[in-house]
Coordinates of all heavy atoms in Angstrom, one line a residue:
G1 N 21.8 -8.5 -33.0 CA 21.5 -8.0 -31.7 C 20.2 -8.5 -31.1 O 19.5 -9.4 -31.7
T2 N 19.9 -8.1 -29.9 CA 18.7 -8.6 -29.3 C 17.7 -7.4 -29.2 O 18.0 -6.3 -29.2 CB 19.0 -9.1 -27.8 OG1 19.5 -8.0 -27.1 CG2 19.9 -10.3 -27.9
Q3 N 16.4 -7.8 -28.9 CA 15.3 -6.9 -28.8 C 14.6 -7.2 -27.4 O 14.6 -8.4 -27.1 CB 14.3 -7.0 -29.9 CG 14.8 -6.4 -31.2 CD 14.7 -4.9 -31.3 OE1 13.6 -4.4 -31.0 NE2 15.7 -4.3 -31.7
S4 N 14.1 -6.2 -26.8 CA 13.3 -6.4 -25.6 C 11.9 -6.1 -26.0 O 11.6 -5.1 -26.6 CB 13.7 -5.5 -24.5 OG 15.0 -5.9 -24.0
L5 N 11.0 -7.0 -25.6 CA 9.5 -6.8 -25.8 C 8.9 -6.5 -24.5 O 9.0 -7.3 -23.5 CB 8.9 -8.0 -26.4 CG 7.4 -8.0 -26.5 CD1 6.9 -6.9 -27.4 CD2 6.8 -9.3 -26.9
I6 N 8.3 -5.4 -24.4 CA 7.5 -5.0 -23.2 C 6.1 -5.0 -23.6 O 5.7 -4.3 -24.6 CB 7.9 -3.6 -22.6 CG1 9.4 -3.5 -22.3 CG2 7.1 -3.2 -21.4 CD1 9.9 -2.2 -22.0
A7 N 5.2 -5.8 -22.9 CA 3.8 -5.9 -23.3 C 2.9 -6.0 -22.1 O 3.3 -6.4 -21.1 CB 3.7 -7.1 -24.2
G8 N 1.7 -5.5 -22.4 CA 0.6 -5.6 -21.4 C -0.6 -6.3 -22.1 O -0.9 -6.0 -23.3
F9 N -1.2 -7.2 -21.4 CA -2.3 -7.9 -21.9 C -3.6 -7.7 -21.1 O -3.5 -8.0 -19.9 CB -1.9 -9.4 -21.9 CG -3.0 -10.4 -22.4 CD1 -3.5 -10.3 -23.6 CD2 -3.5 -11.3 -21.5 CE1 -4.5 -11.2 -24.1 CE2 -4.5 -12.2 -21.9 CZ -5.0 -12.1 -23.2
N10 N -4.6 -7.2 -21.7 CA -5.9 -7.0 -21.0 C -6.7 -8.3 -21.0 O -7.1 -8.7 -22.1 CB -6.6 -5.9 -21.6 CG -7.9 -5.5 -20.9 OD1 -8.6 -6.4 -20.3 ND2 -8.3 -4.3 -21.0
I11 N -6.8 -9.0 -19.9 CA -7.5 -10.3 -19.9 C -9.0 -10.2 -20.1 O -9.6 -11.1 -20.5 CB -7.2 -11.0 -18.5 CG1 -7.8 -10.3 -17.3 CG2 -5.8 -11.3 -18.4 CD1 -7.8 -11.1 -16.1
A12 N -9.6 -9.0 -20.0 CA -11.0 -8.8 -20.2 C -11.4 -8.8 -21.7 O -12.4 -9.3 -22.0 CB -11.5 -7.5 -19.5
N13 N -10.5 -8.2 -22.5 CA -10.9 -8.1 -23.9 C -9.8 -8.6 -24.9 O -10.0 -8.5 -26.1 CB -11.2 -6.6 -24.2 CG -10.1 -5.7 -24.0 OD1 -8.9 -6.1 -24.0 ND2 -10.4 -4.4 -23.9
G14 N -8.7 -9.0 -24.4 CA -7.6 -9.6 -25.2 C -6.7 -8.6 -25.9 O -5.8 -8.9 -26.6
K15 N -6.9 -7.3 -25.6 CA -6.1 -6.2 -26.2 C -4.7 -6.3 -25.6 O -4.4 -6.5 -24.4 CB -6.7 -4.8 -25.9 CG -5.9 -3.7 -26.5 CD -6.5 -2.4 -26.2 CE -5.7 -1.3 -26.7 NZ -6.2 0.0 -26.4
V16 N -3.7 -6.2 -26.6 CA -2.3 -6.2 -26.2 C -1.7 -4.8 -26.5 O -1.9 -4.3 -27.6 CB -1.5 -7.3 -27.0 CG1 0.0 -7.2 -26.7 CG2 -2.1 -8.7 -26.6
V17 N -1.0 -4.3 -25.6 CA -0.2 -3.0 -25.8 C 1.2 -3.5 -25.7 O 1.6 -4.1 -24.7 CB -0.5 -2.0 -24.7 CG1 0.3 -0.7 -24.9 CG2 -2.0 -1.6 -24.8
A18 N 2.0 -3.2 -26.7 CA 3.4 -3.7 -26.7 C 4.4 -2.7 -27.3 O 4.0 -1.8 -28.1 CB 3.5 -5.0 -27.5
K19 N 5.6 -2.8 -26.9 CA 6.7 -1.9 -27.4 C 8.0 -2.8 -27.5 O 8.3 -3.4 -26.6 CB 6.9 -0.8 -26.5 CG 7.9 0.2 -26.9 CD 7.3 1.2 -27.8 CE 8.3 2.4 -28.1 NZ 7.9 3.2 -29.2
C20 N 8.6 -2.7 -28.7 CA 10.0 -3.4 -28.8 C 11.0 -2.3 -28.7 O 10.9 -1.2 -29.2 CB 10.1 -4.0 -30.2 SG 9.2 -5.5 -30.3
K21 N 12.1 -2.6 -27.9 CA 13.2 -1.7 -27.7 C 14.5 -2.4 -27.9 O 14.5 -3.7 -27.7 CB 13.1 -1.1 -26.3 CG 11.9 -0.3 -26.0 CD 11.9 1.1 -26.6 CE 12.9 1.9 -26.0 NZ 13.0 3.3 -26.6
E22 N 15.5 -1.7 -28.1 CA 16.9 -2.3 -28.2 C 17.5 -2.4 -26.8 O 18.5 -3.1 -26.6 CB 17.8 -1.5 -29.1 CG 17.3 -1.6 -30.5 CD 18.2 -0.8 -31.5 OE1 19.3 -0.3 -31.0 OE2 17.9 -0.7 -32.6
T23 N 16.9 -1.7 -25.8 CA 17.4 -1.8 -24.4 C 16.4 -2.3 -23.5 O 15.2 -2.4 -23.8 CB 17.9 -0.4 -24.0 OG1 16.8 0.5 -24.1 CG2 19.0 0.2 -24.9
R24 N 16.8 -2.6 -22.3 CA 15.9 -3.0 -21.2 C 16.2 -2.3 -19.9 O 16.7 -2.8 -19.0 CB 16.1 -4.5 -21.0 CG 15.2 -5.1 -20.0 CD 15.5 -6.6 -19.7 NE 16.7 -6.6 -19.0 CZ 17.3 -7.8 -18.5 NH1 16.7 -8.9 -18.8 NH2 18.4 -7.7 -17.9
K25 N 16.0 -1.0 -20.0 CA 16.3 -0.1 -18.9 C 15.0 0.4 -18.2 O 13.9 0.3 -18.8 CB 17.0 1.2 -19.4 CG 18.3 0.9 -20.1 CD 19.0 2.1 -20.6 CE 20.3 1.8 -21.3 NZ 20.9 3.0 -21.8
A26 N 15.2 0.8 -17.0 CA 14.1 1.3 -16.2 C 13.3 2.4 -16.9 O 12.1 2.5 -16.9 CB 14.5 1.8 -14.8
E27 N 14.1 3.3 -17.6 CA 13.4 4.4 -18.4 C 12.5 3.9 -19.5 O 11.5 4.5 -19.7 CB 14.5 5.3 -19.0 CG 15.4 6.0 -18.0 CD 16.5 5.2 -17.5 OE1 17.0 4.2 -18.2 OE2 17.0 5.4 -16.4
D28 N 12.9 2.8 -20.1 CA 12.1 2.2 -21.1 C 10.7 1.7 -20.5 O 9.7 1.9 -21.1 CB 12.8 1.0 -21.8 CG 14.1 1.4 -22.5 OD1 14.1 2.5 -23.0 OD2 15.0 0.6 -22.5
L29 N 10.9 1.0 -19.4 CA 9.7 0.5 -18.7 C 8.8 1.6 -18.2 O 7.5 1.5 -18.3 CB 10.1 -0.5 -17.6 CG 8.9 -1.2 -16.9 CD1 8.1 -2.0 -17.9 CD2 9.5 -2.2 -15.9
I30 N 9.3 2.6 -17.7 CA 8.5 3.8 -17.2 C 7.8 4.4 -18.4 O 6.6 4.7 -18.3 CB 9.4 4.8 -16.5 CG1 9.9 4.3 -15.2 CG2 8.7 6.1 -16.3 CD1 11.0 5.1 -14.5
K31 N 8.4 4.6 -19.5 CA 7.7 5.1 -20.7 C 6.6 4.2 -21.1 O 5.5 4.7 -21.5 CB 8.7 5.3 -21.9 CG 9.6 6.5 -21.7 CD 10.5 6.6 -22.9 CE 11.5 7.7 -22.7 NZ 12.5 7.8 -23.8
F32 N 6.8 2.9 -21.1 CA 5.8 1.9 -21.4 C 4.6 2.0 -20.4 O 3.4 2.0 -20.8 CB 6.3 0.5 -21.5 CG 5.2 -0.5 -21.7 CD1 4.7 -0.6 -23.0 CD2 4.7 -1.3 -20.7 CE1 3.7 -1.6 -23.2 CE2 3.7 -2.2 -20.9 CZ 3.2 -2.3 -22.2
M33 N 4.9 2.1 -19.2 CA 3.9 2.2 -18.1 C 3.1 3.5 -18.3 O 1.9 3.5 -18.0 CB 4.5 2.1 -16.7 CG 5.1 0.7 -16.4 SD 3.8 -0.6 -16.4 CE 2.9 -0.1 -14.9
E34 N 3.7 4.6 -18.7 CA 3.0 5.8 -18.9 C 2.0 5.6 -20.1 O 0.9 6.1 -20.1 CB 3.9 7.0 -19.2 CG 4.7 7.5 -18.1 CD 3.8 8.2 -17.0 OE1 2.7 8.5 -17.3 OE2 4.4 8.4 -15.9
K35 N 2.5 4.8 -21.1 CA 1.6 4.5 -22.2 C 0.4 3.7 -21.7 O -0.8 4.0 -22.1 CB 2.4 3.7 -23.3 CG 1.6 3.4 -24.5 CD 2.4 2.7 -25.6 CE 1.6 2.4 -26.8 NZ 2.4 1.8 -27.8
L36 N 0.6 2.7 -20.9 CA -0.5 1.9 -20.3 C -1.4 2.8 -19.5 O -2.7 2.7 -19.6 CB 0.0 0.8 -19.4 CG 0.4 -0.5 -20.0 CD1 0.9 -1.5 -18.9 CD2 -0.6 -1.1 -20.9
A37 N -0.9 3.7 -18.7 CA -1.7 4.6 -17.9 C -2.6 5.5 -18.8 O -3.7 5.7 -18.5 CB -0.8 5.5 -17.0
S38 N -2.0 5.9 -20.0 CA -2.8 6.7 -20.9 C -3.9 5.9 -21.6 O -5.0 6.3 -21.7 CB -1.8 7.3 -22.0 OG -2.5 8.0 -23.0
E39 N -3.5 4.6 -22.0 CA -4.5 3.8 -22.6 C -5.7 3.4 -21.7 O -6.8 3.3 -22.2 CB -3.8 2.4 -23.1 CG -2.8 2.6 -24.2 CD -3.5 2.4 -25.6 OE1 -4.5 1.8 -25.7 OE2 -2.9 3.0 -26.5
Y40 N -5.4 3.3 -20.4 CA -6.4 2.8 -19.5 C -6.7 3.9 -18.4 O -6.9 3.6 -17.3 CB -6.0 1.5 -18.8 CG -5.9 0.4 -19.8 CD1 -4.7 0.0 -20.3 CD2 -7.1 -0.2 -20.3 CE1 -4.6 -1.0 -21.3 CE2 -7.0 -1.2 -21.2 CZ -5.8 -1.6 -21.7 OH -5.7 -2.6 -22.6
H41 N -6.7 5.2 -18.9 CA -6.9 6.3 -18.0 C -8.3 6.3 -17.2 O -8.4 6.8 -16.1 CB -6.7 7.6 -18.7 CG -7.7 7.9 -19.7 ND1 -7.6 7.4 -21.0 CD2 -8.9 8.6 -19.7 CE1 -8.7 7.8 -21.7 NE2 -9.5 8.5 -20.9
N42 N -9.3 5.6 -17.8 CA -10.6 5.6 -17.1 C -10.7 4.4 -16.1 O -11.7 4.3 -15.4 CB -11.7 5.5 -18.2 CG -11.9 6.8 -18.9 OD1 -11.6 7.8 -18.4 ND2 -12.2 6.7 -20.2
E43 N -9.8 3.5 -16.1 CA -9.8 2.4 -15.2 C -9.5 2.8 -13.8 O -8.7 3.7 -13.5 CB -8.8 1.3 -15.6 CG -9.1 0.7 -17.0 CD -10.4 0.0 -17.1 OE1 -10.8 -0.7 -16.2 OE2 -11.0 0.1 -18.2
T44 N -10.2 2.1 -12.8 CA -9.9 2.5 -11.4 C -8.9 1.5 -10.8 O -8.3 1.9 -9.8 CB -11.2 2.4 -10.6 OG1 -11.8 1.1 -10.7 CG2 -12.2 3.4 -11.1
R45 N -8.7 0.4 -11.4 CA -7.7 -0.6 -10.9 C -7.0 -1.3 -12.0 O -7.6 -1.8 -12.9 CB -8.4 -1.7 -10.0 CG -9.0 -1.1 -8.8 CD -9.5 -2.2 -7.9 NE -8.4 -2.4 -6.9 CZ -8.3 -3.4 -6.1 NH1 -9.2 -4.4 -6.1 NH2 -7.3 -3.5 -5.3
I46 N -5.7 -1.2 -12.0 CA -4.9 -1.9 -13.0 C -3.9 -2.8 -12.3 O -3.1 -2.3 -11.4 CB -4.2 -0.9 -13.9 CG1 -5.2 0.0 -14.6 CG2 -3.2 -1.6 -14.9 CD1 -4.5 1.2 -15.3
H47 N -3.9 -4.1 -12.5 CA -3.0 -5.0 -11.9 C -1.9 -5.3 -12.8 O -2.1 -5.7 -14.0 CB -3.8 -6.3 -11.6 CG -4.8 -6.1 -10.5 ND1 -4.5 -6.2 -9.2 CD2 -6.1 -5.7 -10.5 CE1 -5.6 -6.0 -8.4 NE2 -6.6 -5.7 -9.3
I48 N -0.7 -5.2 -12.3 CA 0.6 -5.5 -13.0 C 1.2 -6.7 -12.4 O 1.5 -6.6 -11.1 CB 1.5 -4.2 -13.0 CG1 0.8 -3.0 -13.5 CG2 2.8 -4.5 -13.7 CD1 0.4 -3.0 -15.0
I49 N 1.5 -7.7 -13.1 CA 2.2 -8.9 -12.6 C 3.6 -8.9 -13.2 O 3.7 -9.0 -14.4 CB 1.4 -10.2 -13.0 CG1 0.0 -10.1 -12.4 CG2 2.1 -11.4 -12.5 CD1 -1.0 -11.1 -12.9
W50 N 4.5 -8.9 -12.3 CA 5.9 -8.9 -12.7 C 6.7 -10.0 -12.0 O 6.4 -10.4 -10.9 CB 6.6 -7.6 -12.2 CG 6.3 -6.4 -13.1 CD1 5.8 -6.4 -14.4 CD2 6.4 -5.0 -12.7 NE1 5.7 -5.1 -14.8 CE2 6.0 -4.3 -13.8 CE3 6.8 -4.4 -11.6 CZ2 6.0 -2.9 -13.9 CZ3 6.8 -3.0 -11.6 CH2 6.4 -2.3 -12.7
D51 N 7.8 -10.3 -12.7 CA 8.8 -11.2 -12.0 C 9.8 -10.3 -11.2 O 9.5 -9.1 -11.1 CB 9.6 -12.1 -13.0 CG 10.3 -11.3 -14.1 OD1 10.5 -10.0 -13.9 OD2 10.7 -11.9 -15.1
N52 N 10.8 -10.8 -10.7 CA 11.7 -9.9 -9.9 C 12.9 -9.3 -10.7 O 14.0 -9.1 -10.1 CB 12.3 -10.8 -8.7 CG 11.2 -10.9 -7.6 OD1 10.2 -10.1 -7.6 ND2 11.5 -11.7 -6.7
L53 N 12.7 -9.0 -11.9 CA 13.7 -8.3 -12.7 C 14.0 -7.0 -11.9 O 13.1 -6.3 -11.4 CB 13.2 -8.0 -14.1 CG 14.1 -7.3 -15.1 CD1 15.3 -8.3 -15.4 CD2 13.4 -7.0 -16.4
N54 N 15.2 -6.6 -11.9 CA 15.6 -5.4 -11.1 C 14.9 -4.1 -11.5 O 14.6 -3.3 -10.6 CB 17.1 -5.1 -11.2 CG 17.6 -4.8 -12.6 OD1 17.0 -5.2 -13.6 ND2 18.7 -4.2 -12.8
I55 N 14.5 -3.9 -12.8 CA 13.8 -2.7 -13.1 C 12.3 -2.7 -12.7 O 11.6 -1.7 -12.8 CB 13.9 -2.4 -14.7 CG1 13.3 -3.5 -15.5 CG2 15.3 -2.1 -15.0 CD1 13.2 -3.2 -17.0
H56 N 11.8 -3.9 -12.2 CA 10.5 -4.0 -11.7 C 10.4 -3.5 -10.2 O 9.3 -3.3 -9.7 CB 9.9 -5.4 -11.8 CG 9.8 -5.9 -13.2 ND1 9.7 -7.2 -13.5 CD2 9.8 -5.2 -14.4 CE1 9.6 -7.4 -14.8 NE2 9.6 -6.2 -15.3
K57 N 11.5 -3.3 -9.6 CA 11.6 -2.9 -8.2 C 11.6 -1.4 -8.1 O 12.0 -0.7 -9.0 CB 12.7 -3.6 -7.5 CG 12.6 -5.1 -7.5 CD 13.7 -5.8 -6.9 CE 13.4 -7.3 -6.9 NZ 14.6 -8.1 -6.8
D58 N 11.2 -0.9 -6.9 CA 11.2 0.5 -6.7 C 12.5 1.2 -6.9 O 12.6 2.3 -7.4 CB 10.7 0.8 -5.3 CG 9.3 1.3 -5.3 OD1 8.8 1.7 -6.4 OD2 8.6 1.4 -4.2
G59 N 13.6 0.6 -6.3 CA 14.9 1.3 -6.4 C 14.9 2.5 -5.4 O 14.0 2.8 -4.7
A60 N 16.1 3.1 -5.3 CA 16.3 4.2 -4.4 C 15.4 5.4 -4.6 O 15.0 6.1 -3.7 CB 17.8 4.6 -4.4
N61 N 15.0 5.6 -5.8 CA 14.1 6.7 -6.1 C 12.6 6.4 -6.0 O 11.8 7.3 -6.3 CB 14.4 7.3 -7.5 CG 14.1 6.3 -8.6 OD1 13.7 5.2 -8.4 ND2 14.3 6.7 -9.9
K62 N 12.3 5.2 -5.6 CA 10.9 4.8 -5.4 C 10.1 5.0 -6.6 O 8.9 5.5 -6.6 CB 10.3 5.5 -4.2 CG 11.0 5.3 -2.9 CD 10.9 3.9 -2.4 CE 11.6 3.8 -1.0 NZ 11.9 2.4 -0.7
R63 N 10.6 4.6 -7.8 CA 10.0 4.9 -9.1 C 8.6 4.5 -9.2 O 7.7 5.2 -9.7 CB 10.9 4.4 -10.2 CG 11.0 3.0 -10.4 CD 11.8 2.6 -11.6 NE 12.6 1.4 -11.3 CZ 13.9 1.3 -11.1 NH1 14.6 2.4 -11.3 NH2 14.5 0.2 -10.9
W64 N 8.3 3.2 -8.7 CA 6.9 2.7 -8.9 C 5.9 3.3 -7.9 O 4.8 3.5 -8.1 CB 6.9 1.2 -8.9 CG 7.8 0.7 -10.0 CD1 8.9 0.0 -9.9 CD2 7.6 1.1 -11.4 NE1 9.5 -0.2 -11.2 CE2 8.7 0.5 -12.1 CE3 6.7 1.8 -12.1 CZ2 8.9 0.6 -13.5 CZ3 6.9 2.0 -13.5 CH2 7.9 1.4 -14.2
K65 N 6.4 3.6 -6.7 CA 5.6 4.2 -5.7 C 5.2 5.6 -6.2 O 4.0 6.0 -6.1 CB 6.4 4.3 -4.3 CG 5.5 4.8 -3.2 CD 6.3 4.8 -1.9 CE 5.4 5.3 -0.8 NZ 6.0 5.2 0.5
E66 N 6.2 6.3 -6.7 CA 5.9 7.7 -7.2 C 5.0 7.6 -8.5 O 4.1 8.5 -8.7 CB 7.2 8.4 -7.5 CG 8.0 8.7 -6.2 CD 7.2 9.6 -5.3 OE1 6.6 10.6 -5.7 OE2 7.2 9.3 -4.1
F67 N 5.3 6.7 -9.4 CA 4.5 6.5 -10.6 C 3.0 6.3 -10.2 O 2.1 6.9 -10.7 CB 5.0 5.3 -11.4 CG 4.1 4.9 -12.5 CD1 4.3 5.5 -13.8 CD2 3.2 3.9 -12.4 CE1 3.5 5.2 -14.8 CE2 2.4 3.6 -13.4 CZ 2.5 4.2 -14.7
N68 N 2.8 5.4 -9.2 CA 1.5 5.0 -8.8 C 0.8 6.2 -8.1 O -0.4 6.5 -8.4 CB 1.5 3.8 -7.9 CG 0.2 3.1 -7.8 OD1 -0.7 3.2 -8.7 ND2 0.0 2.4 -6.8
K69 N 1.5 6.9 -7.3 CA 1.0 8.1 -6.7 C 0.5 9.1 -7.8 O -0.6 9.7 -7.7 CB 2.0 8.8 -5.8 CG 1.6 9.9 -5.0 CD 2.8 10.4 -4.1 CE 2.4 11.7 -3.4 NZ 3.6 12.2 -2.6
K70 N 1.3 9.3 -8.8 CA 1.0 10.2 -9.9 C -0.3 9.8 -10.6 O -1.0 10.7 -11.1 CB 2.2 10.2 -10.9 CG 2.0 11.0 -12.2 CD 3.2 10.9 -13.1 CE 2.9 11.5 -14.4 NZ 4.1 11.3 -15.3
H71 N -0.6 8.5 -10.6 CA -1.8 8.0 -11.3 C -2.9 7.6 -10.4 O -3.7 6.7 -10.7 CB -1.4 6.8 -12.2 CG -0.5 7.3 -13.4 ND1 -0.9 8.0 -14.4 CD2 0.9 7.2 -13.5 CE1 0.1 8.3 -15.2 NE2 1.2 7.8 -14.7
G72 N -2.9 8.2 -9.2 CA -4.1 8.0 -8.3 C -4.1 6.7 -7.6 O -5.2 6.3 -7.1
G73 N -3.0 6.0 -7.5 CA -2.9 4.7 -6.8 C -3.7 3.6 -7.4 O -4.0 2.6 -6.7
K74 N -4.0 3.7 -8.7 CA -4.8 2.6 -9.3 C -4.0 1.4 -9.8 O -4.5 0.4 -10.1 CB -5.6 3.2 -10.5 CG -4.8 3.7 -11.7 CD -5.7 4.2 -12.7 CE -5.1 5.0 -13.8 NZ -6.1 5.5 -14.8
F75 N -2.7 1.5 -9.8 CA -1.8 0.4 -10.1 C -1.6 -0.5 -8.9 O -1.2 0.0 -7.8 CB -0.5 0.9 -10.8 CG -0.7 1.4 -12.2 CD1 -1.1 2.7 -12.4 CD2 -0.5 0.5 -13.2 CE1 -1.2 3.2 -13.7 CE2 -0.7 1.0 -14.5 CZ -1.1 2.3 -14.7
H76 N -1.7 -1.8 -9.1 CA -1.5 -2.8 -8.1 C -0.4 -3.7 -8.6 O -0.7 -4.4 -9.6 CB -2.7 -3.5 -7.7 CG -3.8 -2.5 -7.2 ND1 -3.9 -2.2 -5.9 CD2 -4.8 -1.9 -7.8 CE1 -4.9 -1.3 -5.7 NE2 -5.4 -1.1 -6.9
F77 N 0.8 -3.7 -8.0 CA 1.9 -4.5 -8.5 C 2.0 -5.8 -7.7 O 1.9 -5.8 -6.5 CB 3.2 -3.7 -8.3 CG 3.2 -2.4 -9.0 CD1 3.0 -1.2 -8.4 CD2 3.4 -2.4 -10.4 CE1 3.0 0.0 -9.1 CE2 3.4 -1.2 -11.1 CZ 3.2 0.0 -10.4
H78 N 2.0 -6.9 -8.5 CA 2.2 -8.2 -7.9 C 3.4 -8.8 -8.5 O 3.7 -8.7 -9.7 CB 1.0 -9.1 -8.4 CG -0.4 -8.5 -8.0 ND1 -1.0 -8.6 -6.8 CD2 -1.2 -7.7 -8.8 CE1 -2.1 -7.9 -6.8 NE2 -2.3 -7.4 -8.0
Y79 N 4.1 -9.6 -7.7 CA 5.4 -10.2 -8.1 C 5.2 -11.7 -8.1 O 4.6 -12.3 -7.2 CB 6.5 -9.8 -7.2 CG 6.8 -8.3 -7.3 CD1 6.2 -7.3 -6.6 CD2 7.8 -7.8 -8.2 CE1 6.4 -6.0 -6.7 CE2 8.0 -6.5 -8.4 CZ 7.3 -5.6 -7.7 OH 7.6 -4.2 -7.8
T80 N 5.8 -12.4 -9.0 CA 5.7 -13.8 -9.2 C 6.5 -14.6 -8.1 O 6.2 -15.7 -7.8 CB 6.1 -14.3 -10.6 OG1 7.5 -13.9 -10.8 CG2 5.2 -13.7 -11.6
L81 N 7.6 -13.9 -7.6 CA 8.4 -14.6 -6.6 C 8.9 -13.5 -5.6 O 9.4 -12.5 -6.0 CB 9.6 -15.2 -7.4 CG 10.7 -15.9 -6.5 CD1 10.0 -17.1 -5.8 CD2 11.8 -16.4 -7.4
H82 N 8.8 -13.8 -4.4 CA 9.4 -12.9 -3.3 C 10.7 -13.4 -2.9 O 10.8 -14.6 -2.4 CB 8.4 -12.8 -2.2 CG 7.1 -12.1 -2.5 ND1 7.0 -10.8 -2.6 CD2 5.9 -12.6 -2.9 CE1 5.8 -10.5 -3.0 NE2 5.1 -11.6 -3.1
C83 N 11.7 -12.6 -3.0 CA 13.1 -13.0 -2.5 C 13.5 -12.0 -1.4 O 13.2 -10.9 -1.4 CB 14.0 -13.0 -3.6 SG 13.7 -14.3 -4.9

């Protein structure tokens, strides 16, 4: 089978936060993002750089807009390609 690796890399100190999963669903990414929010709860700005994978987009439920609102608007989402 295949595995999905979801990871965050802190460019300031080299720390990597990662999670391997058997699936690549929005719920998996939301759980990982909650983990990042917990790891970096004292940060005022967190930049997330994503490609245009469907789970990186807001979707009908505005998952990332709501996620960011829940965490005080400190997440800034950047996409590698605009389509």
Side-chain angles (χ1 to χ4, degrees):
T2 60
Q3 288 279 312
S4 293
L5 171 64
I6 303 172
F9 176 65
N10 184 329
I11 62 169
N13 62 19
K15 181 178 179 181
V16 175
V17 177
K19 182 85 172 164
C20 284
K21 298 286 291 180
E22 293 181 7
T23 58
R24 186 186 68 178
K25 297 179 181 177
E27 296 83 24
D28 300 325
L29 186 54
I30 289 169
K31 285 180 185 176
F32 175 76
M33 291 295 291
E34 288 292 349
K35 183 177 180 177
L36 277 183
S38 175
E39 291 272 335
Y40 295 101
H41 65 276
N42 289 329
E43 299 294 325
T44 58
R45 298 188 92 192
I46 300 171
H47 292 270
I48 304 295
I49 302 170
W50 281 341
D51 61 14
N52 279 348
L53 185 66
N54 62 336
I55 62 174
H56 296 162
K57 297 181 179 154
D58 253 348
N61 64 358
K62 303 291 184 202
R63 69 179 145 246
W64 301 118
K65 185 176 185 175
E66 292 301 315
F67 172 86
N68 201 21
K69 183 177 175 182
K70 175 182 172 182
H71 294 286
K74 65 179 167 183
F75 285 86
H76 300 273
F77 300 104
H78 307 276
Y79 294 88
T80 59
L81 179 66
H82 293 281
C83 293

